[in-house]
Amino acid sequence: MKIQRLCVPLFLVFSLAFLQVQAQIQTDTTQLWQIELQNENTYIGKIISRDSETIVFDSQELGIINIQVQNIKSMKAIKASQIREGAYWAENPQSTRYFWSPTGYGLRKGDGYYQNVWIFFNQFSVGISDNTSIGVGFMPLFLFAGASTPVWITPKVSVPVSEQFNVGAGALLGGILGEDTDGPFGIAYGTATLGTRDQNLTLGLGYGFAGGEWANVPTINISGMIRTGKKGYFLTENYLIDTGDDLLVLLLVGGRVVWPKIALDYGALLPLGADIDSFVAIPWLGISIPFGKKTPSVQE
């Protein structure tokens, strides 16, 4: 009898809590959602109500529609700021990097990307948590007459100081397979980014090392990103390198075009100083493919 008397009020409490949660889900019509169906049709709007089988959706394209849960491929919450002039501007799929140098922003847990530059440079990166990530890269030179193969890892920690100010620290630790070396090579760096994931300015400072010795002076990196449209970005990535005898300046300027499942980077690298007498422009071409993106469950 005592157990029954205890179970009844507990059951009522849990039932009331469940009904309150359900009511909150049913009446929360302020959040914008992007819903992609199995037939590749995509809708943006607000959820009016939903149950285990049907979502009543107020779409910007068609008005009130009923969507069968079984027909949904994915759905994710989006910000009102991502709707510009009636069109949805997808989130930057490569907000943690410019062409090569990192921003203060980090990969979110479970997010990742594959980056390739001119076929030779390959790197996979994944977010371990919202503040830490790890990357693994290689250059498959073994495909060319059995040449030695450079490999590296890139751990990184990112800390959001405020909504539009992020700092990060990390390293590139590399070695060469098939060749005897005096130890790893790479760079340890710190970076600070002011701005959003779409538009920002970054100041970085890094110390290179090789053969058990560290550089005497740091390499300075100044980079920026500006979103120019629904799919376009302007990128600039610049380095100040003290060679001991002169100052080498590397200017990398270009852009990025993004699609839902891939991003294309293009630009030109311009080296200045350090006894460079003639104009040289080295083309840059790379792609980034995001993977592991998490989307909210239709039952949340």
Side-chain angles (χ1 to χ4, degrees):
M1 291 295 293
K2 291 183 179 180
I3 294 177
Q4 291 178 342
R5 292 175 182 175
L6 180 62
C7 288
V8 171
L10 285 176
F11 174 77
L12 293 175
V13 169
F14 283 116
S15 298
L16 180 60
F18 175 77
L19 291 175
Q20 288 176 336
V21 170
Q22 287 294 99
Q24 182 179 4
I25 293 176
Q26 295 284 341
T27 57
D28 183 9
T29 60
T30 60
Q31 176 64 59
L32 279 174
W33 292 84
Q34 181 190 56
I35 295 180
E36 181 182 4
L37 302 184
Q38 298 290 350
N39 62 8
E40 305 298 331
N41 288 337
T42 301
Y43 301 102
I44 294 173
K46 300 176 181 179
I47 295 175
I48 302 302
S49 64
R50 62 183 178 184
D51 55 33
S52 60
E53 296 182 355
T54 306
I55 292 179
V56 180
F57 196 65
D58 185 4
S59 70
Q60 296 181 345
E61 300 85 356
L62 302 176
I64 304 295
I65 58 176
N66 293 325
I67 300 176
Q68 298 300 310
V69 171
Q70 64 181 7
N71 295 330
I72 295 177
K73 181 178 180 180
S74 67
M75 62 181 292
K76 63 180 179 179
I78 62 176
K79 299 177 181 178
S81 60
Q82 291 179 273
I83 305 299
R84 303 185 187 183
E85 300 178 356
Y88 170 62
W89 287 23
E91 189 176 65
N92 187 352
Q94 183 62 303
S95 62
T96 63
R97 284 190 181 275
Y98 298 97
F99 292 101
W100 161 245
S101 68
T103 71
Y105 283 100
L107 286 167
R108 299 183 179 96
K109 182 179 180 180
D111 286 358
Y113 65 87
Y114 163 68
Q115 183 180 18
N116 178 279
V117 180
W118 281 126
I119 300 176
F120 298 105
F121 172 90
N122 298 270
Q123 180 167 311
F124 294 86
S125 299
V126 65
I128 300 173
S129 71
D130 287 342
N131 300 104
T132 58
S133 63
I134 187 73
V136 178
F138 64 97
M139 296 180 67
L141 300 183
F142 63 87
L143 297 175
F144 302 90
S148 301
T149 300
V151 295
W152 61 87
I153 61 172
T154 56
K156 179 183 176 182
V157 176
S158 302
V159 179
V161 179
S162 66
E163 186 175 355
Q164 294 195 16
F165 183 57
N166 286 252
V167 297
L172 183 150
L173 307 172
I176 300 178
L177 298 180
E179 184 175 315
D180 293 332
T181 61
D182 295 330
F185 62 85
I187 187 170
Y189 68 86
T191 185
T193 299
L194 179 64
T196 66
R197 288 181 179 263
D198 271 343
Q199 302 191 109
N200 52 63
L201 180 67
T202 293
L203 174 64
L205 200 67
Y207 279 88
F209 60 89
E213 297 184 0
W214 289 82
N216 294 323
V217 293
T219 294
I220 299 173
N221 167 247
I222 302 174
S223 300
M225 176 187 302
I226 299 175
R227 189 158 192 171
T228 59
K230 181 179 178 180
K231 297 182 178 180
Y233 292 83
F234 167 79
L235 302 179
T236 179
E237 181 177 318
N238 312 288
Y239 297 89
L240 303 176
I241 305 172
D242 189 336
T243 63
D245 299 324
D246 200 349
L247 180 65
L248 174 62
V249 179
L250 298 178
L251 305 179
L252 183 51
V253 181
R256 172 176 296 157
V257 181
V258 299
W259 293 276
K261 298 180 181 180
I262 193 172
L264 172 69
D265 291 347
Y266 59 91
L269 176 64
L270 310 173
L272 304 173
D275 298 327
I276 298 176
D277 298 327
S278 59
F279 177 81
V280 178
I282 303 172
W284 180 282
L285 185 65
I287 62 169
S288 298
I289 302 175
F291 61 83
K293 294 291 181 181
K294 304 299 181 181
T295 55
S297 166
V298 296
Q299 297 302 320
E300 290 180 354

